[in-house]
Amino acid sequence: MTKRHFPASELPINEDGSAFHLHLKPENLADKVILVGDPGRVSTVAAHFESIECEVSSREFHTITGVYKGKRITVQSHGIGCDNIDIVMNELDALANIDFNTREEKDTHRMLTCVRIGTCGGLQPFTPVGTFVASVKSIGFDGLLNYYAGRNDVCDLEMEEAFRKHMDWNPLKGAPYVAVACPELIERIAADDMVRGYTIACGGFYGPQGREIRIPIADPHQNEKVESFEYDGMKVCNFEMESSALAGLASLLGHQAMTCCMVIANRYAKEMNTEYKNSIDTLIQLVLDRI
């Protein structure tokens, strides 16, 4: 059987043998990956490591691989938005499953375990500022997964239909999709001290999340409808901007992935904590211990 070959135009590789955007080399990627949005948070996570193997940085993509309690872990920043997750997940998978010398897919699939640690806006009375939320399923407002074949095989189609009907969805926004996080990983990471629920992954911070500054939003009742949506006895707990693409792409590529976030704003109570960077370290330590 002929192996697939990936030309330079489809899989750019830097002259030093590193992935085009991440600047990470295959040998520097661990099987366990912690993803964070803020490049500065990579150093916060890595401060818990006993040793550091490598560190690279390019644009918003900052990477440190090291060892924590005997576990080899890569911490990777992705910046803001599902578009960046598209870059990060495809390049992490390429580093794991494509031979960068021959540009051919490897014979044996290597599975990565990816946990995103993020911040979010709570949408329910039971998700006040400071709550840790594990995203069991993520409703993608971004449309990213719709560009990939097989998206129906990894999405909850019945929930998608129920959500569209509940929201009276405007087709101009593009079709929302429901990506499912790895159940085993949810059990291990969320344990009994994180709220489990649905997450909305938005394509922006302001209008897509129902914030109205100087431009009126198309549906002024959007957030009310999101807050009241319930499916299989579970509600939408939070807004963020990456979880749907992470869960969806990981499923299509054969990896384990999930997102857990700390609530730094509660839209229901109209509360906000901008000084959250110290308190998120508790969530970081939980994930490091459980990944």
Side-chain angles (χ1 to χ4, degrees):
M1 185 176 180
T2 304
K3 291 183 180 181
R4 288 183 64 194
H5 181 270
F6 304 93
S9 61
E10 309 307 296
L11 177 64
I13 299 174
N14 297 318
E15 289 185 3
D16 64 355
S18 63
F20 183 64
H21 295 93
L22 303 186
H23 285 256
L24 191 66
K25 295 180 180 179
E27 62 267 25
N28 297 137
L29 175 65
D31 289 341
K32 298 178 185 293
V33 182
I34 291 178
L35 297 164
V36 295
D38 183 358
R41 196 173 298 152
V42 171
S43 297
T44 302
V45 176
H48 297 281
F49 288 178
E50 290 116 42
S51 61
I52 290 178
E53 173 188 320
C54 73
E55 179 173 7
V56 294
S57 184
S58 176
R59 299 187 183 185
E60 62 265 62
F61 307 115
H62 180 197
T63 316
I64 294 178
T65 296
V67 175
Y68 174 81
K69 293 185 178 179
K71 296 181 287 189
R72 187 172 182 248
I73 298 173
T74 292
V75 190
Q76 175 70 61
S77 68
H78 52 71
I80 298 174
C82 285
D83 51 343
N84 278 4
I85 295 295
D86 184 61
I87 291 172
V88 170
M89 279 308 300
N90 275 291
E91 292 196 4
L92 288 178
D93 176 75
L95 287 162
N97 290 300
I98 295 174
D99 187 319
F100 273 31
N101 294 315
T102 64
R103 292 182 168 275
E104 293 178 345
E105 195 167 356
K106 294 179 180 178
D107 293 327
T108 304
H109 178 266
R110 177 185 172 193
M111 184 182 73
L112 303 176
T113 297
C114 304
V115 179
R116 182 178 113 71
I117 301 174
T119 57
C120 67
L123 292 171
Q124 302 294 342
F126 56 84
T127 56
V129 170
T131 303
F132 297 157
V133 177
S135 304
V136 175
K137 296 180 183 179
S138 295
I139 304 170
F141 281 8
D142 57 285
L144 178 74
L145 214 65
N146 298 330
Y147 288 88
Y148 288 92
R151 61 83 80 200
N152 285 359
D153 299 328
V154 299
C155 289
D156 187 329
L157 302 184
E158 291 184 3
M159 183 173 163
E160 285 180 11
E161 181 61 24
F163 184 77
R164 284 196 300 268
K165 288 181 178 178
H166 177 83
M167 296 292 293
D168 189 21
W169 190 260
N170 184 345
L172 289 175
K173 296 179 180 177
Y177 61 93
V178 177
V180 183
C182 173
E184 184 276 328
L185 203 51
I186 289 284
E187 287 299 314
R188 176 151 47 103
I189 301 296
D192 59 359
D193 49 12
M194 296 185 192
V195 173
R196 303 183 193 197
Y198 304 137
T199 294
I200 301 286
C202 296
F205 182 79
Y206 289 97
Q209 295 187 29
R211 289 184 173 92
E212 189 171 288
I213 308 300
R214 293 190 60 244
I215 307 172
I217 57 175
D219 182 359
H221 301 292
Q222 172 189 286
N223 286 14
E224 296 169 26
K225 289 186 281 188
V226 167
E227 290 162 11
S228 64
F229 178 71
E230 187 170 338
Y231 187 83
D232 279 349
M234 199 172 285
K235 289 194 170 187
V236 176
C237 290
N238 58 328
F239 274 144
E240 53 86 78
M241 297 176 66
E242 293 87 16
S243 61
S244 59
L246 174 61
L249 289 176
S251 294
L252 288 173
L253 291 165
H255 304 298
Q256 294 182 322
M258 67 161 289
T259 292
C260 52
C261 291
M262 185 177 78
V263 176
I264 63 168
N266 185 280
R267 306 296 297 283
Y268 180 87
K270 301 190 184 306
E271 300 172 338
M272 177 75 186
N273 173 23
T274 58
E275 302 298 324
Y276 63 86
K277 294 191 176 181
N278 291 332
S279 53
I280 200 172
D281 198 57
T282 301
L283 179 57
I284 289 171
Q285 290 185 38
L286 287 177
V287 173
L288 282 170
D289 286 335
R290 296 170 182 174
I291 192 171

